[in-house]
Amino acid sequence: MRQRTLGSDLTVSAIGLGCMGMSEFYGAGDEAESMATIQRAIDRGTTLLDTADMYGVGRNEELVGRAIKGRRGSVILATKFGNVRGADGAYRGVNGRPEYVRAACDASLRRLGVETIDLYYQHRVDPDTPIEETVGAMAELVRAGKVRHLGLSEAAPETIRRAHKVHPITALQTEYSLWSRDPEDAILATVRELGIGFVAYSPLGRGFLTGQIKQVEDLAPDDYRRNSPRFQGDNFRRNLDLVAAVEAMAREKGCTAAQLALAWVLAQGSDIVPIPGTKRRRYLEENIGALSVALTADDLARLDAVLPPGAAAGTRYAAAQMQALNR
């Protein structure tokens, strides 16, 4: 497994593992297979494991904690706070107040069964709390030994700059893939100027770029993607045409569409670490195989022509969720 560095000194595997779908959002989970997937990822040299306190309303952190028991030294554990949910799963908004930061961290440490979180993200920026106050509280966690590195997710360039002045930000996590290229406008330039690493979530377009989803009926009845603008109506059909072009090129390269899409993200810079999510070992192996896919300048130009910025039909999230981005 190749390595990459986030920020100045956090070394992680070149491809991480997103664990969200193991507990929620993408249909029914299989805990035994999810545990086996995490452990297989560690066996294969994947060190960066990504979770959050809101995934499964805490259940995902508990799952990850059980999976890494006895192997803590082999992983870089990343989790997040800020998206607040009730015990019933109801969404209650974003909270970045210092007292909440401290309480959320302690709760995550208990669920994960660890003494220190390697990379602690603010999941979404709280518009009602100055970022200096939130990051100040996060910095206190570093000084207390509860957290090693700080991160932000879906933050705007100016917010990143303000946060970085309070305490070094090691990583920014934002959606980035062949069909979500928004970070290229200003985000990537900002983090590179400041020496901050970039973690790309949903690098496979929530599974769409794998070519495995041909109709909405391929998704489980409770899969949240059924309500995603890019998976609906004319948007769905237009996006299928984009994926068909990726699949055709993947066949030429002798790889899968998923591997080609991941190889493209990896080729965008050595400071970028994609964290494709999966709850199955076979897809984990396929994703790791992307490291063996070499893209030429011509390959990259062809992909850029097929999926230029803004090519995907539909917004990344529904309108209400879009408001929480780029704050």
Side-chain angles (χ1 to χ4, degrees):
M1 175 65 72
R2 296 203 294 272
Q3 307 291 306
R4 292 189 167 185
T5 301
L6 297 174
S8 62
D9 62 353
L10 181 58
T11 300
V12 300
S13 50
I15 292 181
L17 174 62
C19 300
M20 180 189 79
M22 297 175 179
S23 300
E24 196 178 13
F25 300 115
Y26 290 169
D30 179 332
E31 183 167 315
E33 178 62 18
S34 293
M35 293 271 287
T37 299
I38 294 172
Q39 290 163 356
R40 178 59 178 160
I42 298 171
D43 290 342
R44 295 282 272 112
T46 301
T47 58
L48 181 60
L49 303 181
D50 185 89
T51 181
D53 59 3
M54 73 161 286
Y55 301 159
V57 196
R59 294 191 305 276
N60 196 247
E61 287 183 325
E62 293 171 349
L63 171 68
V64 171
R66 289 193 297 274
I68 67 171
K69 193 171 183 179
R71 308 186 72 174
R72 178 66 181 93
S74 299
V75 302
I76 300 298
L77 196 54
T79 192
K80 315 176 197 73
F81 74 91
N83 278 324
V84 186
R85 298 177 70 186
D88 61 353
Y91 182 67
R92 295 183 176 175
V94 177
N95 192 338
R97 293 192 297 273
E99 62 273 20
Y100 181 79
V101 175
R102 293 188 285 268
C105 180
D106 287 343
S108 287
L109 288 169
R110 286 194 299 272
R111 285 188 292 265
L112 291 162
V114 299
E115 296 181 352
T116 306
I117 294 165
D118 297 305
L119 178 55
Y120 199 40
Y121 293 101
Q122 182 182 21
H123 208 162
R124 292 291 186 270
V125 175
D126 180 356
D128 298 320
T129 303
I131 192 65
E132 290 83 359
E133 293 183 15
T134 302
V135 175
M138 296 168 72
E140 291 176 6
L141 298 174
V142 175
R143 290 190 288 271
K146 296 180 178 182
V147 170
R148 290 180 56 213
H149 297 270
L150 303 185
L152 301 175
S153 180
E154 294 286 2
E158 182 57 29
T159 302
I160 298 167
R161 292 181 185 281
R162 289 167 54 195
H164 197 62
K165 288 180 180 178
V166 177
H167 187 280
I169 301 300
T170 294
L172 175 76
Q173 182 175 141
T174 293
E175 183 173 355
Y176 189 44
S177 71
L178 273 167
W179 79 340
S180 291
R181 297 180 60 175
D182 301 357
E184 295 174 6
D185 291 339
I187 294 292
L188 282 172
T190 300
V191 296
R192 283 171 171 160
E193 175 191 336
L194 299 174
I196 298 170
F198 187 93
V199 174
Y201 77 82
S202 293
L204 296 175
R206 294 180 174 80
F208 206 101
L209 294 172
T210 67
Q212 299 294 316
I213 304 169
K214 299 298 186 185
Q215 55 188 355
V216 174
E217 289 71 25
D218 291 334
L219 304 173
D222 60 344
D223 192 309
Y224 103 100
R225 289 172 291 186
R226 284 177 173 262
N227 299 312
S228 173
R230 291 185 177 178
F231 287 78
Q232 295 180 334
D234 288 341
N235 289 344
F236 188 95
R237 287 185 287 275
R238 289 169 59 190
N239 289 329
L240 277 179
D241 291 339
L242 298 177
V243 174
V246 175
E247 289 180 295
M249 188 170 168
R251 285 192 292 272
E252 293 178 23
K253 297 290 293 183
C255 64
T256 67
Q259 289 170 336
L260 182 63
L262 282 174
W264 180 86
V265 174
L266 289 163
Q268 301 312 301
S270 60
D271 54 346
I272 296 177
V273 177
I275 49 168
T278 184
K279 50 191 173 183
R280 298 182 179 89
R281 282 169 287 182
R282 64 189 179 104
Y283 293 133
L284 169 76
E285 297 288 354
E286 179 181 351
N287 292 341
I288 292 174
L291 290 165
S292 300
V293 178
L295 298 182
T296 66
D298 285 344
D299 292 333
L300 293 170
R302 286 178 61 191
L303 284 167
D304 194 58
V306 173
L307 285 108
T315 55
R316 292 200 275 139
Y317 291 100
Q321 293 169 297
M322 288 296 292
Q323 294 178 7
L325 308 181
N326 201 37
R327 282 176 171 167

